[in-house]
Amino acid sequence: MVVTKKIDGKAHAERLTAQVAAAAVALKAEVGIVPGLCAVLVGSDPASHVYVRSKSKAAVSAGIASFQENLPETASEAELLALIAKLNADDAVDGILVQLPLAKHIDPQRVIEAIDPAKDVDGFHAHNVGALWSGGKALVPCTPYGCLLLLRDTIGSLAGAEAVVIGRSNIVGKPMAALLLNEHCTVTLAHSRSRDLPGIVRRADIVVAAIGRPEFVRGDWLKPVAVIIDVGINRITPAGGKPKLVGDVAYEEAQGIAAAITPVPGGVGPMTIACLLRNTLIAACRRRGRPDPL
Ligand code: NAP
């Protein structure tokens, strides 16, 4: 039986954050630049405030200046667009992060497209989406880039691998498919209308699950020695037990079948924040015509 390796996303993220911090120190020493990340929060959603606080803490620990702009729940789309324009013009800000979801009266796509693509550290602007798919120089969405780093570290070269991505969101599934294609994988992008999902997954050397359904992918769907990246974060309360987080893949069932799998929590999640810091550092360098430090 295979001994399934646990892919330690927390340890990978700590290493990446340390690299970002070292590069930020060098940048400051060489040219006096401190990369700056500004989070924009609209409203008082407690989960959004928690996310922004942890991103801000991580930024400071990596030598990145952290700014925050808060608008009330009642702020209009025009007010938010005016704030984005102000941040676009502020040279101390290299990365702009608008915490989603936004209130219903604000069109998130219009807000994303208002961000200067050079400061779009989430990688959601059409300019960066296009650059990613056409092989150009993009700022790449943080979660799928974190998944790619974990895959490279676990497997080495991904060329020729059969990769199945489940979920086609703009945030995870689609950019993940583009990244795997750029690595020369044969990519299948599956979704809720895909027929015979277990059959599709059984072909995969690499499975990336980004669905948002607890333990949806079963152990008997997996090809032996496949590598599994579980993006899903689902809160469940087992009968008679305490609430806990689980992924989109049945983790215990994957043991003894998969070659390696990310746990939830402690897998993809920490990588997302580390990649945000990396993107901010890269944005600071590119905006000033400097080469990518990482
Ligand atoms: P999303 O926008 O809701 O997209 C979910 C995708 O799953 C959709 O493409 C949907 O297909 C597909 N899907 C739903 N039911 C399915 C089914 N029965 N069979 C096959 N595909 C199905 O979600 P997301 O933003 O990509 O996030 C996915 C999960 O990742 C969530 O649990 C989220 O919390 C987590 N997440 C984690 C991180 C992190 O840092 N770790 C970051 C982002 C997201 P259709 O398009 O056909 O509807």
Side-chain angles (χ1 to χ4, degrees):
M1 197 168 87
V2 177
V3 177
T4 302
K5 180 187 162 196
K6 177 158 117 180
I7 301 174
D8 188 345
K10 195 164 171 277
H12 278 76
E14 281 167 7
R15 284 199 293 276
L16 180 56
T17 303
Q19 287 171 356
V20 171
V25 167
L27 196 63
K28 191 173 176 196
E30 280 170 35
V31 281
I33 296 165
V34 177
L37 173 66
C38 185
V40 177
L41 259 167
V42 183
S44 54
D45 174 50
S48 292
H49 278 265
V50 169
Y51 288 139
V52 166
R53 244 196 323 274
S54 60
K55 286 169 186 171
S56 160
K57 215 172 125 197
V60 171
S61 77
I64 289 173
S66 170
F67 312 110
Q68 190 173 324
E69 294 279 356
N70 294 298
L71 289 179
E73 188 78 37
T74 51
S76 67
E77 188 177 285
E79 282 173 276
L80 179 53
L81 293 176
L83 173 60
I84 303 276
K86 188 186 97 175
L87 298 174
N88 282 343
D90 185 344
D91 204 39
V93 174
D94 295 293
I96 301 170
L97 174 126
V98 179
Q99 187 63 41
L100 302 175
L102 291 167
K104 282 203 171 60
H105 63 278
I106 298 178
D107 176 358
Q109 204 52 39
R110 197 171 296 156
V111 173
I112 288 165
E113 298 306 329
I115 297 172
D116 176 352
K119 298 188 176 188
D120 169 38
V121 283
D122 268 333
F124 297 158
H125 191 288
H127 174 97
N128 284 313
V129 176
L132 173 62
W133 281 97
S134 61
K137 233 179 177 192
L139 285 169
V140 177
C142 304
T143 299
Y145 194 74
C147 296
L148 177 66
L149 293 180
L150 293 178
L151 282 168
R152 278 196 195 139
D153 198 70
T154 306
I155 301 175
S157 168
L158 310 185
E162 284 267 358
V164 170
V165 179
I166 317 171
R168 56 176 163 178
S169 69
N170 290 335
I171 293 172
V172 189
K174 284 184 201 159
M176 189 74 241
L179 286 167
L180 291 168
L181 201 55
N182 290 346
E183 297 286 313
H184 313 293
C185 293
T186 303
V187 181
T188 303
L189 186 48
H191 46 79
S192 67
R193 310 286 181 93
S194 297
R195 285 194 213 116
D196 186 22
L197 191 58
I200 294 171
V201 173
R202 270 183 207 114
R203 297 200 307 257
D205 305 308
I206 294 168
V207 179
V208 181
I211 312 163
R213 291 182 175 234
E215 301 178 330
F216 183 76
V217 177
R218 310 310 310 189
D220 65 359
W221 298 15
L222 303 175
K223 179 176 169 177
V225 304
V227 174
I228 318 298
I229 303 292
D230 191 348
V231 184
I233 303 174
N234 309 288
R235 186 173 290 278
I236 61 161
T237 307
K242 288 186 184 154
K244 61 172 185 171
L245 294 181
V246 297
D248 288 344
V249 181
Y251 186 83
E252 289 308 326
E253 292 181 17
Q255 302 302 314
I257 304 169
I261 184 168
T262 54
V264 178
V268 173
M271 287 300 283
T272 297
I273 294 188
C275 289
L276 175 70
L277 306 179
R278 176 185 173 276
N279 270 356
T280 306
L281 174 74
I282 287 175
C285 292
R286 286 187 189 168
R287 288 199 323 111
R288 294 169 179 91
R290 296 179 64 81
D292 290 356
L294 292 176

